């Protein structure tokens, strides 16, 4: 094709380099896309969706999507909250309860006495509980290895 374009349109070496680069990029995308989709399907997505100050503390709202292919009878995570200086302020566990396969749930947790703007980061320290509906069909660490975190707030949410 490159020779045809060079002869027909009079384009030189630069076109050939661009064409080869474009073909290589397209091939890489075509090969990687199924793997990226597969990886996204085997996740337990946990999103910090909102942090709202209330009269009694800080209300954290999470959106959780179970795309692991495994029903979870109960999930709880240990969280570490850091202050604005990066110092550990609080360690706690949030129980997300049952998470059916291919289901999205919303959970809210209120941190009594906490100020939302004072929280700079939340770290998922590990799974405090991970009850799989069919343990024989899943890895022992499904709740941790499949976890993908993100935040829509000013608070960083990491694992």
């Amino acid at each position: 094709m490159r020779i045809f374009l060079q002869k027909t349109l009079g384009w030189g070496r630069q076109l050939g380099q661009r064409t080869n680069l474009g073909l290589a990029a397209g091939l890489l995308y075509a090969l990687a896309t199924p793997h990226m989709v597969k990886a996204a399907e085997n996740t337990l997505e946990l999103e910090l969706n909102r942090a709202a100050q209330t009269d009694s503390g800080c209300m954290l709202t999470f959106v959780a999507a179970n795309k692991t292919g495994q029903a979870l009878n109960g999930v709880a995570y240990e969280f570490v909250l850091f202050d604005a200086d990066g110092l550990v302020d609080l360690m706690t566990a949030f129980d997300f309860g049952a998470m059916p396969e291919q289901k999205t749930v919303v959970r809210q947790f209120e941190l009594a006495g906490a100020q939302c703007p004072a929280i700079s980061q939340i770290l998922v320290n590990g799974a405090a509980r991970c009850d799989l509906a069919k343990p024989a069909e899943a890895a022992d660490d499904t709740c941790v290895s499949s976890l993908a975190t993100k935040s829509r707030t000013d608070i960083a949410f990491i694992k």
Side-chain angles (χ1 to χ4, degrees):
M1 178 169 181
R2 181 177 65 187
I3 294 171
F4 169 78
L5 291 173
Q6 285 175 340
K7 287 183 179 180
T8 306
L9 301 175
W11 293 355
R13 180 174 166 83
Q14 192 173 17
L15 173 68
Q17 290 172 341
R18 286 184 190 158
T19 303
N20 288 342
L21 184 60
L23 289 173
L27 180 60
L28 284 173
Y29 177 78
L31 292 173
T33 300
H35 299 292
M36 290 187 296
V37 169
K38 183 71 171 168
E41 289 175 356
N42 293 321
T43 59
L44 180 58
E45 297 172 1
L46 196 53
E47 173 188 278
L48 177 56
N49 184 270
R50 188 168 187 200
Q53 195 63 47
T54 66
D55 291 338
S56 56
C58 180
M59 177 72 72
L60 300 175
T61 303
F62 293 89
V63 177
N66 181 0
K67 299 177 183 179
T68 62
Q70 175 78 222
L72 305 170
N73 290 337
V75 180
Y77 286 104
E78 182 181 79
F79 288 167
V80 180
L81 285 72
F82 294 85
D83 67 14
D85 295 324
L87 300 174
V88 172
D89 186 49
L90 175 69
M91 291 181 72
T92 188
F94 292 153
D95 192 338
F96 287 82
M99 298 179 102
E101 179 181 358
Q102 298 301 316
K103 177 89 170 101
T104 300
V105 296
V106 176
R107 301 287 189 254
Q108 290 185 315
F109 304 96
E110 185 160 13
L111 299 168
Q115 298 295 311
C116 292
I119 304 169
S120 67
Q121 178 174 285
I122 299 175
L123 166 70
V124 179
N125 210 32
R129 180 169 65 105
C130 182
D131 298 332
L132 305 172
K134 298 178 184 174
E137 296 180 15
D140 290 339
D141 66 344
T142 296
C143 292
V144 175
S145 63
S146 300
L147 184 63
T149 60
K150 76 176 191 177
S151 178
R152 289 182 180 251
T153 72
D154 292 337
I155 302 170
F157 186 44
I158 61 171
K159 65 176 194 169

